[in-house]
Structures are given as C-alpha cells and as structure tokens.
Amino acid sequence: MTIDDPHTPLRQDIKLLGYLLGETLQELEGEALFERVEEVRVLSKGACAGRAEAGALLEQVMSEMPEDEAITVARVFAHFLALVNIAEQYHRVRRRQHALDEGAPQRGSLPEGLQRLLDAGVSPEDLWVTATEMRVDLVMTAHPTQAARRTLLRKYATITALLERRDRIHLTPQEEGDLIDALRREIAAVWRTDEIRQTKPTPLDEVRSGLVPFEQVLWDAVPDFLRLLDRELVQRTGKGLPLHAVPVRFGSWMGGDRDRDPNVTSELTRRAVAMARQRAAALYRDALSTLYDELSMNQASDELLAEVGEQWEPYRALLRPVRERLERTRLWAQAIAMGEPPPYAADEVYTDVVELAAPLLLCDRSLRACGDDVVADGRLMDVLRRLPAFGLVLAPLDIRQEADRHTEALDAITTHLRLGRYSSWSEAERIGFLIRELNNRRPLIPQALWDGTADDLSPEVVDVLQTFAMAAQQLPGSLGAYVVAMAARPSDVLAVEMLQREARQRFNAQAAPLRVVPLFETWDDLTAAGRVMHELFINPWYRQYIATTHTDRQEVMIGHSESAKDAGRLTAAWALYQCQEDLVRVCQQHGISLTLFHGRGGAVGRGGRPAHAAIRSQPPGAVDGTLRVIEQGEVIQAKFGAAGLAAQTLELYATAVLEATLMPPMKPKPEWRVAMDSLSERARKAYRRTLHEDGFVTYFRTATLEPELVALNIGSRPARRRAGGGGIASLRAIPWGLAWMQIRLNLPVWLGVGAALEAALREPHEEHLLAEMVDQWSFWRSTLEMIEMVLAKAEPGVAARYDAALVDGTLAATGEELRTRLERTRAAVMKALKRERLLETNPDLSRSIAVRSPYVDPLNLVQAALLKRSRESNDPRLLRALMVTVHGIAAGMRNTG
C-alpha cells in the first residue's frame, strides 16, 4: 500500500477485475459485443463528466440498441459493479490490517476503542466488567427483495479470498499467474451463471441461504474475535475474557417472520429450527474431529481418568462417543428438517448445550492440571467459546406476528366459548379478561381449537394457534423472542402472554417462556410507546412476571422502516430518538433493565447507517451494555461475507456499545429539542402532504417499477401486507424504498427535509442553532450526514429519463416538481452542514459514487426501456430481463432498498 495514496491497491484491484471481465466477454461473447460495451462505457463516463454531447449520444445508442444486445450490455455492467463491491469490501479489510500492522489501529477497532476509553478516564475494572457483561445480539433475516442469488454470493466470496491471497502472500511469477488464472475462471463462471432466479424463493430457501454465513465465516470469525478481545482485555485491564462471556451473539428471523406472510407456517418454523440444529451439529462434529486428532496425549488428570478408565489415549476415549452422538444429532435433526420420522430418540442425541459442554470442560480442566495450557488455549477454547455463542442452533429463531392476528385468534376463542367478541371489547375489558385468564390455572382453550377441527375457525386463526403449539414443543435454546408487530396497546403484549401460557400448559413445555417483545413501528405508535410500557409495568401481574421470569429485563423493538414510510426519514429519526428516551425513563422509573431491539433495514430510508455512528447517536441510557439489531439480506453479505469483514463488524459493534455504555453522549439542550420538534413537524407535514397530492400515487406506480415487483422473483414475501389496492398504505417499506432507489430519486429519505430546513434557515437565530447542533450533537450530525449521502447518490437527470419513457403529460409536472424539491433539499442540507458540495468531508464515498455512476446510468436507460416495452406488450419474458437491471442497479447503489 502506498503511503501517498492508500487507495492505489483498490484501483489496481478494480482495474484487474474489470480487465478479466472484459477478457471473458471477448472470449465468450465475441469482439463486436465487447466493443459495443466499451462504446457505452466511454459515452457514459463522458456524460457523467458533464459533456452534454456524450449524454445525448449515449441515449441515442441505447435507444437504438436491439433488446437482446441491451440486456447483455446491462449484464456486463451489473457484473462489473458487483466486482467493484467485492474490491471495495476487501479494501476495507486491507486498510484495517494495514493500520494494525503500522501500530495505528482504525477508529472502532478493539485496540483503538479500548485504549480510547481508558484515556478518557474509564477505570480498567469498569471496562472489564462492562466488556464481559455486554450483550449484543445481531439478528439475521432475509431481505425480502435481495437481488443476488446464493450461488453468486458464494462465487463472490471465492473472488474475495483470491484477492486476499494475492495481496498478502509473496508470490513467485508462476504463482501470480496461477492466481490470475483462478480469478479468470471464477469470473467466467460468474458470467455463465444465470443471475436471475428461475422461481420465487421459498422461506426455506431463505433459511438455507441464511445459514451460509454461519458455516463459511462466522463459525471461525467469532472465536477469532473473542480471542482478540481476550488479548486486549488482558493487556489493558490485567484480566481476560471468561469462557462463558460472549459479548456478541446471534439470532434469526428466517423461517419465523410471519408479518402476514402466508408462506411462513408453524411447520415451516419447526423445519427451520431443525435445519439450523442439523448444521450446528455438523459444525461441532467436524470441530470435535479436529480436536480428536489433536488431543493424542496419554497423560490426563485423575478426574478425566475416572470418567474413561485406563485408556492409552484418554482424551480420545472421552471425545469418541461425543463425536458419534453429534453425528446422531445431525441425522436426527436432518430427518425432522425433511419432514421424516427421526431415526433416533431425543435422549440419544444432544438437545442441551450444557450436556455437550461437560466433556469439553473436563478436557480443559485436565489439560490445565497437566500443564498443557498452551493446548487448552487453542482449538479446545475456540469450541468452548462457540457453545455459548451459537448454542445448538447457531442462532435462536424469533417469531414475529402482527398484533391483529392475535386479536383475531382471541376473538375466535371467546366467540367459540360464547364469552362474547374479544375484538369489540374496550382496552380495559380486554386487559381484565387476559389477566383473569393468566391468573387462572385451568386451561381456557379446548382441544378442538388446538387441533383446528372446530368448524368456526379461519385458516389464519388455526395458523396462530398452531404456531403457539409448535413453540411450546421446541427444545430449550431453539427459539428467542416472540415479536409482536404493529403493537399499539398493553393488551397486544398480554394477549401473547396468555396464548403462550395456554400452549405451554397444553403441550407440557420444556423450554422457558419466550420473551414477548412489542414492536412499535408507525410514528403514532412510537410516540405512544412509553405510555404503553408504563401501563404494562403498573399492572401487578405483568410486573411480577417480568421480575420472576425475565429477571427484571424488558426487551422492546422499535421499527425504523415503517415509521420512515409513515412520516418521512427526518420525522421518524426524531420520533425514534424520543421514543428511546421515553422507554429509558419508564424502565428506570419501574426498576427494569431495558434492551432495545432496532428494526433497521440496510437502506437509509429504512434506518440503515454505519453501525458505529448509529449506536453513538442514540440517546443517553439507550445502549446500557445491551443491544439487539436486525442485519438484513445484502447487509449480511457486506458485513459478514468474508472473514475480515466479519472481524471488522464484530469489533465495531463491541467498541460502539462499550463507548455508548461507558461514555454516553450528552443530553440535547432544551433549545435543540424545540428546534427538532419544529423541524420534525414541518418535515412530516410536507412529506404527508406530498403523498396525498392528486396524482402522486399514480405517478409513483407509473414512473417506478413498483407494479412489477410482485412478479419479480426477488423474495418470498408478498410486496403488500394486504391484498387489494394500489395505494402506499398497504405497501411494505422495502418495496417502497426499492422502487424509488431504482430510478435514482431516493425520495423516501429526503422528502420533507428540504421544506423543514429551508424554513429554519431563513431565520438567522435558527441557522446558528442548527450549526451548533451539527457541531455538538451526534444524533443531529449523523442524521444530516446520512441524508447527505443519499442525496449524493440521487440523480434527478436519470429519474427524468424514466418520466420521458413512462409518464404521460398529465403526470409529468409531478415528476418535475419532485426533482425541483430534490435540488432545493440538496442546497438546504449543504447550507445546514456548512459545506460547499455534498460529501466534501467523505472523499472515499464520493470517489466510490463517481466510479459507479458511469456503469449504473446505462442500466437505468435499459430498465426504463424494458419497463416501457413490458407495459406495452405484457410479455412476461421481459420481466427476467428487467430483473437483470434491478440486480445491477442494486449493486451499483449498494442496497436494494
């Protein structure tokens, strides 16, 4: 890496990958097509540089290009953008390693973060206690509109590994040539692989894909991270990380997230848990095989010898049956996952992580008693650290279901029992009924309802009851939380507690009750969250239940996606901040510890932002040693797609949570709150006013590919929560953001922001106040900088081309007005940040956008043309071609919404 320009290696990697892609194109598709791609690339670069004649000629070339040729050109650019992503992601790893080698670790790394906390006055003891008690849960879920296939993601991982080998190992000329050949083969295989799914993925497909990062990266990355944390704690506090301490753990929503998705059933959830258990057993079995080979010594402690008797190789004698039982566990779980009768009884397999840990802990004690600490601190310690991190299922599965579904179920139950209609009762009546049943030891729900044989049950009610029945019959450690989506009142939580208690009674549950986690999503629900939790905590039954069952800890989830779609990004950001303040205050008032669960998406419009900035911008007390956060789809690939990326991500989360806990940010000044209230209200009104303007919904569905999303095979989940209607209310937040991102307008992030800032900046006092907030308040600064980043990615000229192709004269004014507001918002944000141009303080991102734009712009031209042809001809074959452009634009913009 050169001293003058640390990005030289990145440019070299991009140049190499681009050259190999071009070479592949020449060999497999011919010289003529290669020259056409080069022509489009040169014209697009010229257009991005501001040469109007190049832009005009590019449009002409693309409009006259035959459809098949245009699609192939789009494929080339899409693959190049994917290769750029690979190079950039690896470059992050390279810069991290270079900084460590130079003794100047990057901000957010463990060496830098721990030392910075000590330098700020945190005592070594406080640092050690907080680090060992910290609990960060990263909850993996499939992106409902993730573009890239699992097959391609695996090939991208291979390319990343080859770049790393080329970068870190001193190669002979022959080895260098062999490595280039390997890259060439992999890129050729990528080109020959159909990037479009033949069929819509099922939830089980998403479960399989979701397990890949655990098998390929996290299984090794987690013990490596914990080894680094242990070493840094010893160096800075004099004490290492206890074996049981796992600051970062994992959860999953894949196979458990219902949210009105008819494809996710109780049987599917049961199979998803079994699939995860099968993969975990295989990983532990392989790890035990390696340990078996390593622990060949014949000296052991009396304790271990008493367990195995006189054996020549006592450790192997102890581990042999463990390994065999793990294989039985794998086969047992595999049969359940396939819907077949298991070949072994439950007592012949591992169902409890404590049982698996016992012989391994015995090995550890014996090795240390015999002076073999160096052996104990190796692979054996890695396996012991994996046990609390991954359990027997890699990531406990959360269940998410919408609150209204529980209301429907209780309505059916009370009607069947002739108690009245639960749905028509007041909130007080609902709570009274639920608490009476929770205090009543006799079961309420008759067997006919559990069986689904009663003739007055809808399929939706049967599914809800079967889900509770399935959850009650799962083994300990299989499931995590029960998330109540669209929670709005205390009875939404109590309803789940009552249904859970009924199922646990009926089916003799072995595992502890699931944590019931209300999810507050809309702007109205966020503003009421504190009041709702207060009403729950003053309920004597619930307060006692939290104390005895969940050790005085309450988990609450807050939704970033729906709130932004409902009220706009700026208003949602402030509502989320105040909601967290309210929840912290209410929990402190009632003596309850709070874990906040953030439902962020990858895109900024859905709450996405760099982990360190996101955590550090939360209000004081919101991150008190604990944090749960969703990691979704393509974000998983970007953060955990390779070992170096995973290590960096885990360090960033750990250091940010430590910093937020031990050095919480300052409270906002009263005048800042007044300013934010005003900005939020102005932004919300402007946002909602636009969404309700005449013609807006029609324009949205005409100028974007939102109507086509239903037909594209890019996710298992329906694009809308409820069937019928083409409005925005029923549309999920992800396709809402995806549609605008694809045409490069990025409207959900900035709409309303410009109007709010312009009004504030007209007043000198408010302008000064906003500048003070940027300088001193991390929440406001990071919020504006995220909006700035999205504005830098927006291209109103590209959006105008969609209008030219798809929008008739009566709607054209709507698009023109939106693009005008975009430009005014850019000016207002730059003024608020005191900047002459967007991203002037973030040259790396600015450079990345500049590299990508010449390759994304032609994809947009092809997509607009395909949309026009598809709507005119109704030819379903065009949808596959359209998906090529969706994939490429998503890769170029670094998110799918």
Side-chain angles (χ1 to χ4, degrees):
M1 185 178 297
T2 64
I3 295 175
D4 293 338
D5 187 356
H7 301 294
T8 297
L10 170 61
R11 285 194 291 272
Q12 291 173 342
D13 283 347
I14 292 174
K15 183 177 180 180
L16 172 63
L17 295 173
Y19 172 80
L20 294 175
L21 178 62
E23 188 180 76
T24 298
L25 188 64
Q26 286 175 293
E27 292 179 2
L28 300 181
E29 304 295 340
E31 189 67 30
L33 185 61
F34 173 76
E35 290 178 356
R36 176 51 66 94
V37 169
E38 279 297 291
E39 177 189 15
V40 172
R41 185 182 68 84
V42 170
L43 288 174
S44 188
K45 289 190 74 172
C48 289
R51 296 199 293 275
E53 69 281 3
L57 187 55
L58 174 65
E59 289 202 50
Q60 180 183 340
V61 168
M62 297 301 295
S63 65
E64 295 174 355
M65 192 179 294
E67 186 175 290
D68 289 346
E69 188 178 27
I71 293 168
T72 303
V73 170
R75 284 194 68 216
V76 175
F77 284 13
H79 281 301
F80 176 75
L81 289 164
L83 293 173
V84 170
N85 287 348
I86 292 170
E88 287 189 347
Q89 287 173 191
Y90 173 62
H91 189 58
R92 283 170 44 200
V93 177
R94 173 195 284 132
R95 293 189 69 185
R96 171 181 174 270
Q97 187 59 48
H98 177 74
L100 289 172
D101 292 343
E102 294 293 313
Q106 291 179 317
R107 181 173 175 82
S109 66
L110 279 173
E112 184 276 339
L114 299 187
Q115 190 58 51
R116 180 160 39 84
L117 288 168
L118 293 173
D119 292 343
V122 174
S123 72
E125 180 64 18
D126 285 346
L127 177 59
W128 183 84
V129 169
T130 306
T132 56
E133 294 181 354
M134 177 171 60
R135 177 71 183 261
V136 180
D137 278 9
L138 306 179
V139 182
M140 309 295 195
T141 187
H143 195 303
T145 53
Q146 184 179 5
R149 289 179 60 199
R150 178 177 50 169
T151 299
L152 286 174
L153 293 178
R154 283 176 167 159
K155 296 183 187 304
Y156 296 160
T158 301
I159 294 172
T160 301
L162 290 169
L163 288 178
E164 182 175 13
R165 180 165 176 257
R166 181 171 179 263
D167 198 36
R168 293 194 178 183
I169 300 176
H170 182 69
L171 302 173
T172 66
Q174 179 63 45
E175 290 171 333
E176 172 79 10
D178 290 344
L179 195 144
I180 296 297
D181 284 342
L183 280 170
R184 183 180 288 111
R185 286 192 297 272
E186 208 63 38
I187 290 173
V190 166
W191 176 254
R192 288 298 203 192
T193 299
D194 190 348
E195 61 267 61
I196 309 305
R197 296 183 178 99
Q198 295 297 310
T199 58
K200 202 174 188 65
T202 67
L204 275 181
D205 291 331
E206 292 175 341
V207 173
R208 294 185 187 98
S209 296
L211 292 171
V212 170
F214 289 95
E215 295 174 301
Q216 295 188 346
V217 177
L218 290 169
W219 184 252
D220 291 321
V222 167
D224 287 348
F225 160 72
L226 295 174
R227 191 177 297 279
L228 173 63
L229 177 57
D230 176 68
R231 185 169 62 246
E232 294 297 328
L233 285 175
V234 169
Q235 181 178 338
R236 288 170 172 80
T237 71
K239 293 189 289 185
L241 188 71
L243 266 181
H244 66 272
V246 185
V248 180
R249 306 186 191 212
F250 301 91
S252 175
W253 276 18
M254 288 172 276
D257 184 8
R258 281 141 175 81
D259 196 21
R260 292 193 177 268
D261 184 349
N263 302 309
V264 181
T265 63
S266 59
E267 174 60 18
L268 184 134
T269 301
R270 188 178 70 89
R271 293 179 65 185
V273 170
M275 286 172 63
R277 194 175 288 274
Q278 171 198 346
R279 301 290 179 89
L283 289 166
Y284 282 120
R285 177 204 60 195
D286 294 346
L288 263 290
S289 293
T290 302
L291 271 180
Y292 182 88
D293 291 340
E294 181 179 62
L295 300 183
S296 58
M297 56 280 294
N298 51 36
Q299 182 180 8
S301 68
D302 292 342
E303 182 188 14
L304 192 147
L305 292 173
E307 182 72 21
V308 301
E310 289 297 326
Q311 298 282 343
W312 175 244
E313 294 175 329
Y315 292 99
R316 288 181 171 180
L318 180 68
L319 293 179
R320 192 178 299 115
V322 177
R323 187 175 57 177
E324 292 169 354
R325 190 171 180 182
L326 281 168
E327 175 60 11
R328 291 198 300 273
T329 304
R330 186 189 70 81
L331 295 171
W332 173 78
Q334 178 179 281
I336 296 173
M338 297 175 67
E340 300 173 354
Y344 302 103
D347 60 0
E348 297 179 273
V349 302
Y350 283 114
T351 59
D352 188 337
V353 72
V354 174
E355 193 176 11
L356 175 56
L360 299 173
L361 288 169
L362 176 55
C363 287
D364 181 75
R365 292 193 299 272
S366 176
L367 287 169
R368 297 186 190 283
C370 295
D372 293 324
D373 295 63
V374 66
V375 178
D377 289 338
R379 293 184 180 90
L380 175 59
M381 179 174 284
D382 287 348
V383 176
L384 285 169
R385 290 202 186 280
R386 286 180 179 121
L387 288 169
F390 297 117
L392 295 180
V393 293
L394 298 178
L397 184 63
D398 285 0
I399 294 173
R400 178 169 76 145
Q401 181 61 278
E402 196 169 272
D404 285 352
R405 284 292 171 88
H406 307 129
T407 300
E408 293 168 9
L410 284 165
D411 203 53
I413 292 166
T414 56
T415 301
H416 180 85
L417 296 174
R418 299 180 181 177
L419 299 175
R421 295 191 64 86
Y422 176 86
S423 61
S424 67
W425 297 346
S426 69
E427 176 66 5
E429 290 171 323
R430 292 184 184 189
I431 292 175
F433 166 76
L434 294 169
I435 294 299
R436 284 194 301 275
E437 291 306 320
L438 285 164
N439 281 318
N440 197 328
R441 294 188 177 184
R442 61 106 179 95
L444 173 73
I445 304 175
Q447 189 63 42
L449 297 188
W450 288 119
D451 294 341
T453 56
D455 56 11
D456 55 350
L457 297 183
S458 69
E460 291 78 13
V461 170
V462 171
D463 179 68
V464 168
L465 293 176
Q466 288 180 347
T467 297
F468 280 100
M470 175 276 304
Q473 296 172 74
Q474 289 301 306
L475 293 166
S478 301
L479 301 177
Y482 194 112
V483 178
V484 186
M486 293 294 178
R489 55 191 66 84
S491 63
D492 290 337
V493 174
L494 295 173
V496 176
E497 294 288 9
M498 195 276 277
L499 291 169
Q500 177 176 214
R501 192 213 65 158
E502 286 284 317
R504 290 175 59 77
Q505 273 189 338
R506 177 69 64 180
F507 298 100
N508 224 1
Q510 300 176 41
L514 302 184
R515 308 184 312 274
V516 178
V517 179
L519 166 53
F520 300 103
E521 300 185 74
T522 67
W523 180 75
D524 288 335
D525 291 342
L526 287 170
T527 58
R531 174 185 55 78
V532 170
M533 297 312 299
H534 171 72
E535 291 175 5
L536 269 173
F537 294 150
I538 61 175
N539 183 289
W541 181 90
Y542 189 78
R543 183 63 187 85
Q544 180 63 29
Y545 179 76
I546 287 292
T548 57
T549 308
H550 299 299
T551 61
D552 275 329
R553 178 166 292 277
Q554 174 72 54
E555 185 176 326
V556 178
M557 187 171 184
I558 52 177
H560 294 243
S561 300
E562 289 295 334
S563 57
K565 174 175 166 281
D566 180 39
R569 179 70 264 152
L570 180 61
T571 302
W574 182 229
L576 286 158
Y577 188 96
Q578 292 178 297
C579 174
Q580 291 176 79
E581 289 185 312
D582 290 344
L583 292 170
V584 168
R585 182 175 59 254
V586 167
C587 286
Q588 289 176 346
Q589 176 186 343
H590 291 278
I592 291 172
S593 300
L594 172 66
T595 295
L596 281 167
F597 185 4
H598 291 268
R600 290 193 178 96
V604 175
R606 302 182 52 241
R609 59 175 65 183
H612 195 274
I615 295 170
R616 290 297 295 130
S617 63
Q618 306 309 316
V623 182
D624 188 17
T626 65
L627 178 72
R628 292 192 96 209
V629 64
I630 286 287
E631 298 287 8
Q632 198 167 65
E634 76 235 306
V635 176
I636 297 175
Q637 178 65 19
K639 291 182 176 181
F640 305 102
L645 292 172
Q648 190 174 45
T649 300
L650 296 176
E651 287 186 59
L652 283 171
Y653 270 112
T655 56
V657 169
L658 284 171
E659 187 175 345
T661 303
L662 293 168
M663 294 174 52
M666 66 179 293
K667 291 183 179 180
K669 297 178 181 178
E671 55 267 33
W672 297 354
R673 291 183 177 279
V674 173
M676 278 307 306
D677 286 341
S678 177
L679 286 165
S680 173
E681 183 64 14
R682 290 167 179 164
R684 182 175 65 89
K685 287 181 177 178
Y687 177 89
R688 288 184 169 175
R689 185 167 56 246
T690 299
L691 265 59
H692 291 94
E693 286 176 355
D694 290 342
F696 176 82
V697 173
T698 305
Y699 172 81
F700 167 59
R701 305 199 76 235
T702 304
T704 75
L705 49 57
E706 185 271 334
E708 284 73 19
L709 289 176
V710 175
L712 297 177
N713 294 324
I714 53 178
S716 68
R717 191 184 302 180
R720 294 182 177 275
R721 278 195 165 85
R722 294 170 178 82
I728 294 168
S730 66
L731 186 67
R732 295 182 188 274
I734 294 174
W736 165 247
L738 168 63
W740 289 111
M741 182 276 292
Q742 286 280 307
I743 71 168
R744 310 277 292 283
L745 200 60
N746 301 342
L747 176 139
V749 178
W750 58 262
L751 184 62
V753 175
L757 287 176
E758 283 179 340
L761 292 169
R762 280 194 290 266
E763 300 294 331
H765 171 70
E766 288 196 57
E767 182 178 358
H768 173 77
L769 188 60
L770 291 183
E772 180 183 273
M773 291 160 62
V774 168
D775 290 338
Q776 300 180 30
W777 193 15
S778 59
F779 161 77
W780 176 239
R781 181 173 59 256
S782 66
T783 299
L784 271 189
E785 287 177 344
M786 287 300 101
I787 294 170
E788 175 197 28
M789 181 270 286
V790 172
L791 290 170
K793 287 187 175 183
E795 286 291 345
V798 170
R801 292 170 186 160
Y802 282 81
D803 281 10
L806 303 169
V807 177
D808 61 31
T810 59
L811 293 176
T814 300
E816 187 175 344
E817 171 62 21
L818 292 175
R819 293 189 293 275
T820 299
R821 292 187 201 175
L822 168 63
E823 295 295 359
R824 292 177 61 178
T825 303
R826 281 176 165 170
V829 168
M830 285 190 288
K831 187 175 182 181
L833 288 169
K834 303 296 183 185
R835 292 172 188 169
E836 296 296 323
R837 64 182 186 281
L838 293 172
L839 299 181
E840 70 177 40
T841 63
N842 193 343
D844 290 353
L845 181 56
S846 182
R847 185 185 303 107
S848 175
I849 293 172
V851 167
R852 295 161 185 278
S853 290
Y855 300 91
V856 181
D857 291 358
L859 288 167
N860 286 116
L861 290 174
V862 174
Q863 186 180 89
L866 287 172
L867 278 171
K868 180 178 175 64
R869 295 175 196 175
S870 175
R871 291 173 183 179
E872 289 174 347
S873 67
N874 234 1
D875 185 349
R877 293 175 300 176
L878 292 175
L879 291 174
R880 283 181 54 79
L882 191 62
M883 188 57 209
V884 171
T885 64
V886 172
H887 173 84
I889 294 167
M893 298 293 285
R894 294 305 306 268
N895 61 67
T896 54

